[in-house]
Amino acid sequence: MKRPIGSYPRVRVQDDGRQVVTQAGSVLLVETVRTIGLDRAISAALAPWRKPRAVHDPGKMLLDVALAVALGGDCLADVAMLRCEPAVFGPVASDPTISRLIGTLAASGEEAFRPSGPRGPKSVARSGRWRARTPRTPTDRSRSTSTASS
């Protein structure tokens, strides 16, 4: 496997009949998270809560919980469905590790949810989404070039 870019490995789709991804819609979610830079933004925001010798990134653990919920999970233990697809989701922390992170963040109060610096994860993700957007019509193209030249 190639080295992952961001929190999740690159997924390569091929039709060779060998393996089937049971949660195919999750690939779209993972690619969206990567494209808009949400994985890097949340990891940076939660960096103060990462222990020096930690194996798992707190930002990725929180994103894994969000992905599990998006895929139909309703509790922290449902990240197990992500653990079953390491080629799509990469290494996923154990249930006790995720529970400790949630407990630590909850004990930190609002400090854990305050944006770090002038640009928090939401702002970074929003700007990433706009950078990833490609013009769809000739009108959009002309508008984006006229805006850039003015």
Side-chain angles (χ1 to χ4, degrees), residues 72-130:
D74 60 3
C75 66
L76 292 179
D78 288 333
V79 297
M81 73 175 118
L82 306 183
R83 217 174 283 121
C84 294
E85 298 286 353
V88 176
F89 301 107
V92 176
S94 67
D95 295 346
T97 301
I98 292 175
S99 292
R100 282 192 300 273
L101 172 68
I102 299 299
T104 301
L105 293 175
S108 299
E110 288 188 29
E111 182 183 342
F113 301 102
R114 226 175 263 131
S116 58
R119 296 188 50 169
K122 186 175 176 182
S123 172
V124 171
R126 188 177 297 128
S127 67
R129 182 176 65 222
W130 283 107

Side-chain angles (χ1 to χ4, degrees), residues 8-118:
Y8 296 96
R10 278 265 178 226
V11 176
R12 187 171 40 105
V13 179
Q14 61 188 37
D15 183 19
D16 61 3
R18 285 191 288 172
Q19 291 184 334
V20 177
V21 175
T22 57
Q23 298 287 345
S26 62
V27 173
L28 178 61
L29 291 172
V30 168
E31 288 300 319
T32 301
V33 164
R34 177 184 299 121
T35 300
I36 65 174
L38 188 61
D39 55 344
R40 292 181 300 275
I42 290 180
S43 291
L46 293 180
W49 284 270
R50 184 174 186 152
K51 295 182 180 172
R53 297 183 60 165
V55 173
H56 296 283
D57 174 35
K60 182 175 183 307
M61 286 192 282
L62 205 56
L63 283 170
D64 286 344
V65 171
L67 283 169
V69 169
L71 295 172
D74 60 3
C75 66
L76 292 179
D78 288 333
V79 297
M81 73 175 118
L82 306 183
R83 217 174 283 121
C84 294
E85 298 286 353
V88 176
F89 301 107
V92 176
S94 67
D95 295 346
T97 301
I98 292 175
S99 292
R100 282 192 300 273
L101 172 68
I102 299 299
T104 301
L105 293 175
S108 299
E110 288 188 29
E111 182 183 342
F113 301 102
R114 226 175 263 131
S116 58

